[in-house]
Amino acid sequence: MSLTFTATLAERGFDVAFELAPGETLAVLGPNGAGKSTLLTLLAGLLAPSMGRAELDGTVLFDVGADRRTLVEPRHRGVSLLAQEALLFPHLTALENVAFGPRSRGVDRTAARATALSWLDRVGAADLAGRRPGRLSGGQAQRVAIARALAADPSLLLLDEPLSALDVTVAPAIRTLLRDVLVDRSAIIVTHDPLDAFLLADSVLILDGGRVVESGATAVVLTRPVTSFGAHLAGLNLVTGLRTAEGFRSEEGWVLPLADTAPEGTSLALAVRPGRVTVSRSAVTAPGTACIAAEVDDVEHRGDLVRLHAGGMAADVAPSDVVALGIVPGSRMFLGFRHEDASIYPL
Amino acid sequence: MRLEAAPLDAARLPRWVVAVAVVGSLFVVLPVVAMALRVDWPDFVPLVTSESAAAALLLSLRTSLTATALCVLFGVPMALVLARTSFRGQRLLRSLVLLPLVLPPVVGGLALLYTFGRRGLLGSSLSALGIEIAFTTTAVVLSQAFVALPFLVLSLEGALRTVGTRYEAVGATLGAGRWTVLRRITLPLVLPALVSGAVLSFARALGEFGATLTFAGSLQGTTRTLPLEVYLQRETDPDAAVALSFILVLVAIAVVGVAHRVRPLGDLAPPRAPSREAARA
């Protein structure tokens, strides 16, 4: 393992453990206040845990227990932090900002400038070398900040929502740049955007209330979520239920036949995209189709679609259907989806 | 009819508020004008270059600059400790450090006398070593530094708190040691506040009267600074007193100008969300 991490922070109710393989990128997702930033500040050394131990490439970052207290200073950790805001030193030029890391590690001025220039070139900001941060746009500043973080040659790169302060027109270009520089680099990216997780990360850690609620390979966690937050992130309907003699039996009581031979009583989850869920006034009894009677709780506009929530499920329908079917909160509807559109997996 | 929100300007204020403000401003400006009118301009240069005047002027500049240097030397670490650490009794310490700001200078001079005077707390030991401080030029510098120090500490501590620790944290994660962070990040960020704090300290040192008179006395060429000279000449040669006073007024105007001009540069302000235009890379 490149990184092993276990830490508790009593006063924030934080208790998280995970591992990171060398060269892998981990995305940390979770609602506000879940402890995502706490995790990064603990790793960067800007916060001390009440108990725990972390090792990066065999070197201890912190080791705090009842009878021991090792806290390596941030500068000796080999961990660079890239924050939401670029936080470029305002009194230094872009080049001097990027050269700051190598200079601080004792590289001489000429070599540090050469390193800085090559990193600026790598992030597509070589022409900005002589500019002060006050004269850089948000996207340009974030490019320089990426170069600065990488020029320090970190063993681990921490990214704290690096795209969220950027204009929507700039974010895709920076995301592409990150995808490029994160290849074969140990990194942890805190984000609230599942797209970042899909495009940048090999594995995902979902935190809630200071605890890990889901973790695993990105593709697995975001296609087979086991918590409602994970399902929300992945944009999926999650229905929990049990394996019974008839097949999958949801907690609400509807049944879906199953071909597999999982033992009866196994807890199962069913995931289906809201776009695959149809809504009708009368029950659909076609073979290979699930049909659930439910009362509409809420109707919301989503771009060119209308999302309605009923019986714990979401369904995306065309605005014209909403009018044709007379869907309003409180109306009774039948939700349907084809069996092959749902994936069912053990919890 | 167009109803639009105009910025609140003087025209929107009740007239009596403006009237009172004008009276207040005149109260500050008129005495300066009165003094300028009273200056004996044809003899101005001879008056301020007489032997005693020149001695006082040179002594004042020398001691005030030395006192300012002392303020920077000790004030910067003090401001850093107050702004960047937390310990028991820190609030009390801050209040005590700011004490010379509110203390009558004469009382400050007396306190210095009982510290560094011949029979003072430290003075008696220094005296045994053959070092006399009271009633020397050193005493002038100490008096000035004593009253001027809070200006530097106060202005620098405020700036350190405003800048925050985020840049320093970034510096540390980039591998910079504490000294490097201080030298290359913290101090450059608060440099404007350091300069204006030093200028204010210099002005306060230059104007120092009470503590100097009590602790250093009034010996021409040794401890008689410009304010003391003005006070003495007021009796014997009012024209010289006014001319010297006017020099102090000019210095004060210059200081206010500099302190106002040295503002944090626009790009040193705390970072804010980039505007939509600026965000387009």
Side-chain angles (χ1 to χ4, degrees), chain B residues 162-198:
Chain B
T162 308
V163 166
T165 56
R166 304 194 307 166
Y167 291 111
E168 294 165 13
V170 170
T173 61
L174 289 172
R178 294 174 188 197
W179 169 237
T180 307
V181 169
L182 185 64
R183 188 172 51 86
R184 292 202 59 200
I185 300 173
T186 314
L187 290 180
L189 285 175
V190 296
L191 191 62
L194 179 60
V195 171
S196 69

Coordinates of all heavy atoms in Angstrom, one line a residue, chain B residues 162-198:
Chain B
T162 N -5.9 39.6 9.5 CA -6.7 39.7 8.2 C -6.1 38.8 7.2 O -6.9 38.2 6.5 CB -6.6 41.2 7.8 OG1 -6.9 42.0 8.8 CG2 -7.5 41.4 6.6
V163 N -4.8 38.7 7.0 CA -4.2 37.9 6.0 C -4.6 36.4 6.3 O -4.8 35.6 5.3 CB -2.7 38.1 5.9 CG1 -2.0 37.0 5.1 CG2 -2.4 39.5 5.3
G164 N -4.6 36.0 7.6 CA -5.0 34.7 7.9 C -3.8 33.7 7.7 O -2.7 34.1 7.3
T165 N -4.0 32.4 7.9 CA -2.9 31.5 7.9 C -2.9 30.6 6.7 O -2.2 29.6 6.6 CB -2.9 30.6 9.2 OG1 -4.2 30.0 9.2 CG2 -2.7 31.4 10.4
R166 N -3.8 30.9 5.8 CA -4.0 29.9 4.7 C -2.8 29.8 3.7 O -2.4 28.8 3.3 CB -5.2 30.2 3.8 CG -6.5 30.3 4.7 CD -7.8 30.3 3.9 NE -7.8 31.3 3.0 CZ -8.7 31.3 2.0 NH1 -9.5 30.4 1.9 NH2 -8.6 32.3 1.1
Y167 N -2.2 31.0 3.4 CA -1.0 31.0 2.6 C 0.2 30.3 3.3 O 0.9 29.6 2.7 CB -0.6 32.4 2.2 CG -1.6 33.1 1.3 CD1 -2.4 34.2 1.7 CD2 -1.7 32.7 0.0 CE1 -3.3 34.8 0.9 CE2 -2.6 33.3 -0.9 CZ -3.4 34.4 -0.4 OH -4.3 35.0 -1.2
E168 N 0.2 30.5 4.6 CA 1.3 29.9 5.4 C 1.1 28.4 5.4 O 2.1 27.7 5.2 CB 1.3 30.4 6.8 CG 1.6 31.9 6.9 CD 1.3 32.6 8.2 OE1 1.0 31.9 9.2 OE2 1.2 33.8 8.2
A169 N -0.1 27.9 5.5 CA -0.3 26.5 5.4 C 0.1 25.9 4.1 O 0.7 24.9 4.0 CB -1.8 26.2 5.7
V170 N -0.3 26.6 3.0 CA 0.1 26.2 1.6 C 1.7 26.1 1.6 O 2.2 25.1 1.1 CB -0.4 27.1 0.6 CG1 0.2 26.8 -0.8 CG2 -1.9 27.1 0.5
G171 N 2.3 27.1 2.1 CA 3.8 27.2 2.1 C 4.4 26.0 2.8 O 5.3 25.3 2.3
A172 N 3.8 25.6 4.0 CA 4.3 24.5 4.8 C 4.1 23.2 4.0 O 5.0 22.3 4.0 CB 3.6 24.4 6.1
T173 N 2.9 23.0 3.3 CA 2.7 21.8 2.6 C 3.7 21.7 1.4 O 3.9 20.6 0.8 CB 1.3 21.6 2.1 OG1 1.0 22.6 1.2 CG2 0.3 21.5 3.3
L174 N 4.2 22.8 0.9 CA 5.1 22.8 -0.2 C 6.5 22.5 0.2 O 7.5 22.5 -0.5 CB 5.1 24.1 -1.0 CG 3.8 24.4 -1.8 CD1 3.7 25.8 -2.3 CD2 3.6 23.4 -2.9
G175 N 6.7 22.3 1.5 CA 8.0 21.9 2.0 C 8.8 23.0 2.7 O 10.0 22.9 3.0
A176 N 8.2 24.2 2.9 CA 9.0 25.3 3.5 C 9.0 25.2 5.0 O 8.0 24.9 5.6 CB 8.3 26.7 3.1
G177 N 10.2 25.5 5.5 CA 10.4 25.5 7.0 C 9.8 26.8 7.6 O 9.3 27.7 6.8
R178 N 9.7 26.8 8.9 CA 9.1 27.9 9.6 C 9.7 29.3 9.2 O 9.0 30.3 9.0 CB 9.1 27.8 11.1 CG 8.3 26.6 11.5 CD 8.5 26.3 13.0 NE 7.9 25.1 13.4 CZ 7.6 24.7 14.6 NH1 7.9 25.6 15.6 NH2 7.1 23.6 14.9
W179 N 11.0 29.3 9.1 CA 11.7 30.5 8.9 C 11.4 31.0 7.4 O 11.2 32.1 7.1 CB 13.2 30.4 9.1 CG 14.1 31.5 8.6 CD1 15.1 31.4 7.8 CD2 14.0 32.9 8.9 NE1 15.7 32.6 7.5 CE2 15.0 33.5 8.2 CE3 13.1 33.6 9.7 CZ2 15.2 34.9 8.3 CZ3 13.3 35.0 9.8 CH2 14.3 35.6 9.1
T180 N 11.4 30.0 6.5 CA 11.1 30.3 5.1 C 9.7 30.8 4.9 O 9.5 31.8 4.2 CB 11.3 29.0 4.2 OG1 12.6 28.5 4.5 CG2 11.2 29.4 2.8
V181 N 8.8 30.2 5.6 CA 7.4 30.7 5.6 C 7.3 32.1 6.1 O 6.7 33.0 5.4 CB 6.5 29.7 6.4 CG1 5.1 30.4 6.5 CG2 6.3 28.4 5.7
L182 N 8.0 32.4 7.2 CA 7.9 33.7 7.7 C 8.5 34.8 6.8 O 8.0 35.8 6.5 CB 8.7 33.7 9.1 CG 8.6 35.0 9.9 CD1 7.2 35.3 10.3 CD2 9.5 34.9 11.1
R183 N 9.7 34.4 6.2 CA 10.5 35.3 5.4 C 9.9 35.5 4.0 O 9.8 36.6 3.5 CB 11.9 34.7 5.3 CG 12.9 35.7 4.6 CD 14.3 35.0 4.8 NE 14.4 33.7 4.3 CZ 14.5 33.3 3.0 NH1 14.7 34.2 2.1 NH2 14.5 32.1 2.7
R184 N 9.4 34.4 3.4 CA 9.0 34.5 2.0 C 7.5 34.7 1.9 O 7.0 35.0 0.8 CB 9.4 33.3 1.2 CG 11.0 33.3 1.1 CD 11.4 32.4 -0.1 NE 10.8 32.9 -1.3 CZ 10.7 32.1 -2.4 NH1 11.1 30.9 -2.4 NH2 10.2 32.6 -3.5
I185 N 6.7 34.4 2.9 CA 5.2 34.5 2.8 C 4.6 35.5 3.8 O 4.1 36.5 3.4 CB 4.5 33.1 3.0 CG1 5.1 32.1 1.9 CG2 3.0 33.2 2.9 CD1 4.6 30.7 2.1
T186 N 4.8 35.2 5.1 CA 4.1 36.0 6.1 C 4.5 37.5 6.0 O 3.7 38.4 5.8 CB 4.4 35.5 7.5 OG1 4.2 34.1 7.5 CG2 3.4 36.1 8.5
L187 N 5.8 37.8 6.1 CA 6.3 39.2 6.1 C 6.0 39.9 4.8 O 5.5 41.0 4.9 CB 7.8 39.2 6.5 CG 8.0 38.9 8.0 CD1 9.5 39.0 8.3 CD2 7.2 39.7 8.9
P188 N 6.2 39.3 3.6 CA 5.9 40.1 2.4 C 4.4 40.4 2.4 O 4.0 41.5 1.9 CB 6.2 39.1 1.3 CG 7.3 38.3 1.9 CD 7.0 38.1 3.3
L189 N 3.5 39.5 2.9 CA 2.1 39.7 2.8 C 1.7 40.9 3.7 O 0.7 41.6 3.4 CB 1.3 38.5 3.3 CG 1.2 37.3 2.3 CD1 0.5 36.1 2.9 CD2 0.5 37.8 1.0
V190 N 2.4 41.1 4.9 CA 2.0 42.2 5.8 C 2.9 43.4 5.6 O 2.9 44.3 6.5 CB 1.9 41.7 7.2 CG1 0.9 40.7 7.4 CG2 3.3 41.2 7.7
L191 N 3.7 43.4 4.6 CA 4.7 44.5 4.4 C 4.0 45.9 4.4 O 4.5 46.8 5.1 CB 5.5 44.3 3.2 CG 6.7 45.2 3.1 CD1 7.7 45.0 4.2 CD2 7.5 45.0 1.7
P192 N 2.9 46.1 3.7 CA 2.3 47.4 3.8 C 1.9 47.8 5.2 O 2.2 49.0 5.6 CB 1.0 47.2 2.9 CG 1.4 46.1 2.0 CD 2.2 45.2 2.8
A193 N 1.4 46.9 6.0 CA 1.0 47.2 7.4 C 2.3 47.5 8.2 O 2.3 48.4 9.1 CB 0.2 46.1 8.0
L194 N 3.4 46.8 7.9 CA 4.6 47.0 8.6 C 5.1 48.4 8.4 O 5.6 49.1 9.3 CB 5.6 45.9 8.2 CG 7.0 46.0 8.9 CD1 6.9 45.9 10.4 CD2 7.9 44.9 8.4
V195 N 5.1 48.8 7.1 CA 5.6 50.1 6.7 C 4.7 51.2 7.4 O 5.2 52.1 8.0 CB 5.6 50.3 5.2 CG1 5.9 51.7 4.8 CG2 6.6 49.4 4.6
S196 N 3.4 51.1 7.3 CA 2.6 52.1 7.9 C 2.7 52.1 9.4 O 2.7 53.2 10.0 CB 1.1 52.0 7.4 OG 0.5 50.9 7.9
G197 N 2.8 50.9 10.0 CA 3.0 50.9 11.4 C 4.3 51.5 11.8 O 4.4 52.3 12.8
A198 N 5.4 51.3 11.1 CA 6.7 51.9 11.4 C 6.6 53.5 11.2 O 7.2 54.2 12.0 CB 7.8 51.4 10.5

